[in-house]
Amino acid sequence: MRTLRSLKMQLYKMFVSPIPMVCVLMIFALCCVTNVYSDPESGKGYSVATMLLSGDIAQFVADNQVVRENVVRSAMSSWLIMFAPVICVLPFVKSVSSEKSSLKRFEMHRCGKGVFAVTRLLAGMLTSAVILCVGYGLFIALSFGLFPSAAEMDENIVRAALHGMSFAGFYFSRLAGALIMGAVCALPAYIISIFSNNKYMMTCIPFMLLHFYNIFIGRLSKSISAEGKKRLQLFSFSGIFKAFESSEELYVFIAVIMLAVVSAIIAIAVLHRRCDCCE
């Protein structure tokens, strides 16, 4: 009971401000300005915003055979993957950085340091996951109104767009992948919050760490075999979606659960060793 009460309090503090809605709109905007189609002849990239501003988007889509599934897949790349770790954790960062010391001590005394650490972790992961999933879901909804489905094209386009999945499975995998990716984005900020309540450290350090991590995975994959590269890419942010496409999502779930458990163990250990409530 006290665990649920503490989790409810943590979620309330993160969702009570308009920041989560602003973050959702920022995710949606990033999807709209990310290049989702490249002209094979000129190499010029087009985002959904560019297509809308070009004039007759229906004619553009018909001339270039742009399909909804490819647009949805391409939107979850580049700018979105780079800035999602910052945008998704803003409600968590605001909640932690603006928290009064007396309230924090009271919550720890009422529910226990272990419960406090676990519920804050769960609230941060849930908030971040919902923000990314809803923002990406809004973009998918927009794509339904602008682009035709691959089902309306020939069989080759269907195979290239769905990678062997059903249409329902494709959209489920995209939203589930966004949910998991959002949850993972919260973990570095949570670890930093254990040692510091500085909002700039909680925002910038995880951003740099995750950015360098993706660069490291990309460069390491160039020096190994094709089979090893395929396995290694599952550990990148975009690999979350590739795992669903190759029916290896179980490895992603196990990895995320392990990361969350390790984060919770670190937080509980630090809280029990310190007497200042990590302020």
Side-chain angles (χ1 to χ4, degrees), residues 187-226:
L187 295 179
Y190 175 77
I191 294 294
I192 299 298
S193 72
I194 298 170
F195 304 97
S196 173
N197 287 347
N198 186 289
K199 57 186 176 182
Y200 301 107
M201 292 182 65
M202 286 188 285
T203 304
C204 297
I205 293 179
F207 168 73
M208 292 187 294
L209 290 176
L210 290 171
H211 179 60
F212 289 134
Y213 171 77
N214 281 325
I215 292 176
F216 171 75
I217 292 295
R219 292 185 176 179
L220 185 62
S221 64
K222 295 179 181 179
S223 59
I224 58 178
S225 63

Side-chain angles (χ1 to χ4, degrees), residues 125-140:
M125 293 179 69
L126 285 172
T127 304
S128 182
V130 168
I131 287 172
L132 186 57
C133 187
V134 172
Y136 190 46
L138 288 176
F139 177 78
I140 292 177

Side-chain angles (χ1 to χ4, degrees), residues 168-180:
F170 171 81
Y171 290 107
F172 173 79
S173 70
R174 303 310 295 183
L175 291 174
L179 200 71
I180 295 172

Side-chain angles (χ1 to χ4, degrees), residues 11 24 28 38 43 90 97 101 103 124 131 149 153 178 208 268:
L11 288 171
V24 167
F28 173 73
S38 295
L90 289 180
S97 62
S101 300
L103 178 60
I131 287 172
S149 172
M153 306 295 178
M208 292 187 294
I268 294 171

